[in-house]
Amino acid sequence: YRDLHTFELQAPTRLIEWARGNRVCVAGYGQSDGNEILQLIPPPTLLTKETQGLCPERDFKVECGGFSERPVYSLKSVPDTSLLVTSGPPDSSLQVWQVSAEDSDVIKSVSTIATENGTGQSWAKIATISARAPWVLHGSRLDRVQITEVESRKNVYTAASRGSEELSNLAFLDCNTLLLCCAAGRLCLADIRQPQSLTEAVPVPSAPCTEQWCMGTRHGAQGLEPSSQPVARLSSRGLLTLTDLRKTSEFLALAKARVPSPGSGAEFLCISWAPALEGYLAISGFDGTVHVYDTQSWDSSGREAEPVFVHKGHTFGGAGGSRDPPLVTVHTWHLQKPRTLLSAASDGSLHVWDWVQPCGKC
């Protein structure tokens, strides 16, 4: 490691979200009332672009917080605003939160976005954008995807689909283009200017029907079309695929991650592209580790890929005795520091780490 920071949360968290001012938002996912939503100030070394030397202050600080009456399974900050949007059981409605001004340390609930026939539906996956207005893209199934204006709660778009597959992820590629990933691995493109259109991308490799998938999209460099950035998918068996949305008839690459046998569920599967490091991605959700891969040498053979780094800090930090070892519930990359990641685990531990770039084969 070049650097490692740890912070102990009061409850397990399954999400980490960057907010305004380089703040970090986390939330609990327990089933009882009173799940915390916190906005943290990162250690000073994470607030500067240049790597500093020894720093006397190495901890996160709680800047403000609030409580949700329901488990928070997804949280997104709304760009260019002080708003947060969350979702979680028991239905597919969304909760909108206001991060208070400097004279208050409270994150307060300001509204609820109800969904048609939301009762009985699983919790909604969400994505946000502020290209035209603060929008939230949300849905639990392929035939229930819509865009809502956050502040007015006005419906902006509803996707047309005959399928009702469960969704694992959704994303804005730009202000007009949406990408949806079904839990079974199918990718679908939608254009909000053409409400009746829904284009299926290349399917996943032949796999058991019980296999679950998630996706990671990459924000392109300035001047590049979002569709030119590859989409990565990860399965509960550790299969990895890269897809170019401009040519969906074939895979860019196939690989197999070195992960333990899948457990009974895949609710914490996570795959993400490094925003400031070309060709690198990270995966987690199988055990107490986070694996980082360089995809630039991958081909279509489907061979096992060798990680360039494995973060095992959560495993070593877990409680001893008969308790189950911690499971990494989520990870995310620092927006500017190329090799810095944040990860959280089921024991409430939050880690920020920066690995040393390997030099050749040394």
Side-chain angles (χ1 to χ4, degrees):
Y1 294 96
R2 179 179 288 113
D3 208 355
L4 173 64
H5 303 268
T6 65
F7 185 75
E8 295 302 319
L9 301 168
Q10 294 300 311
T13 178
R14 61 178 293 157
L15 44 92
I16 305 170
E17 173 74 2
W18 288 101
R20 287 200 309 173
N22 244 344
R23 300 310 197 244
V24 177
C25 292
V26 298
Y29 64 87
Q31 296 301 318
S32 60
D33 291 345
N35 294 281
E36 282 189 306
I37 300 177
L38 302 176
Q39 181 165 286
L40 308 176
I41 302 175
T45 54
L46 291 183
L47 298 177
T48 59
K49 293 185 178 180
E50 300 297 327
T51 301
Q52 295 181 336
L54 292 176
C55 181
E57 184 58 68
R58 297 181 57 83
D59 290 334
F60 286 85
K61 290 184 177 180
V62 177
E63 184 174 37
C64 53
F67 289 93
S68 170
E69 294 181 355
R70 60 173 67 200
V72 181
Y73 277 27
S74 186
L75 179 152
K76 295 292 181 182
S77 64
V78 182
D80 305 322
T81 74
S82 57
L83 299 174
L84 305 173
V85 181
T86 65
S87 66
D91 54 38
S92 60
S93 65
L94 309 180
Q95 289 68 52
V96 182
W97 305 80
Q98 174 77 55
V99 178
S100 300
E102 295 179 357
D103 58 346
S104 174
D105 60 359
V106 176
I107 297 176
K108 60 181 180 180
S109 174
V110 292
S111 65
T112 297
I113 298 175
T115 54
E116 186 178 357
N117 299 323
T119 304
Q121 296 294 320
S122 59
W123 61 279
K125 283 66 177 179
I126 56 179
T128 54
I129 195 172
S130 289
R132 299 173 182 171
W135 285 356
V136 57
L137 169 66
H138 56 104
S140 59
R141 295 187 175 276
L142 195 58
D143 58 351
R144 299 187 183 277
V145 174
Q146 60 189 72
I147 296 174
T148 303
E149 193 171 288
V150 176
E151 294 170 316
S152 68
R153 287 174 283 174
K154 176 185 176 182
N155 178 266
V156 177
Y157 166 84
T158 301
S161 173
R162 297 179 181 177
S164 60
E165 298 100 313
E166 182 182 354
L167 292 173
S168 61
N169 307 88
L170 37 72
F172 284 101
L173 296 182
D174 56 33
C175 62
N176 293 313
T177 314
L178 319 174
L179 183 63
L180 318 174
C181 180
C182 299
R186 191 159 68 105
L187 288 179
C188 293
L189 278 167
D191 190 321
I192 67 174
R193 296 164 297 186
Q194 302 173 22
Q196 301 304 314
S197 69
L198 198 63
T199 305
E200 182 179 353
V202 59
V204 295
S206 178
C209 60
T210 56
E211 193 165 5
Q212 301 289 299
W213 291 79
C214 68
M215 76 168 179
T217 57
R218 184 181 176 203
H219 298 289
Q222 188 172 3
L224 290 180
E225 290 293 328
S227 60
S228 69
Q229 305 303 305
V231 176
R233 278 176 287 181
L234 169 68
S235 84
S236 52
R237 286 195 301 138
L239 295 179
L240 291 152
T241 72
L242 304 185
T243 304
D244 187 337
L245 295 178
R246 298 169 301 178
K247 190 176 181 181
T248 60
S249 60
E250 60 187 42
F251 294 110
L252 279 177
L254 293 171
K256 178 73 169 65
R258 188 182 301 168
V259 297
S261 300
S264 57
E267 61 176 330
F268 298 122
L269 281 183
C270 183
I271 182 169
S272 62
W273 286 104
L277 197 61
E278 183 69 29
Y280 281 70
L281 58 76
I283 68 169
S284 63
F286 297 91
D287 53 18
T289 65
V290 182
H291 291 208
V292 178
Y293 292 92
D294 180 359
T295 69
Q296 296 177 87
S297 62
W298 289 6
D299 53 29
S300 58
S301 65
R303 291 176 296 186
E304 184 174 275
E306 184 75 24
V308 297
F309 189 81
V310 179
H311 175 60
K312 300 179 180 179
H314 295 285
T315 302
F316 297 135
S322 60
R323 294 183 60 182
D324 293 333
L327 171 68
V328 173
T329 54
V330 68
H331 73 265
T332 189
W333 294 79
H334 194 283
L335 300 178
Q336 288 89 33
K337 294 179 178 289
R339 296 181 181 87
T340 300
L341 292 93
L342 291 79
S343 54
S346 56
D347 62 351
S349 59
L350 174 64
H351 289 185
V352 184
W353 40 280
D354 189 339
W355 86 91
V356 177
Q357 173 70 0
C359 178
K361 296 184 179 180
C362 62

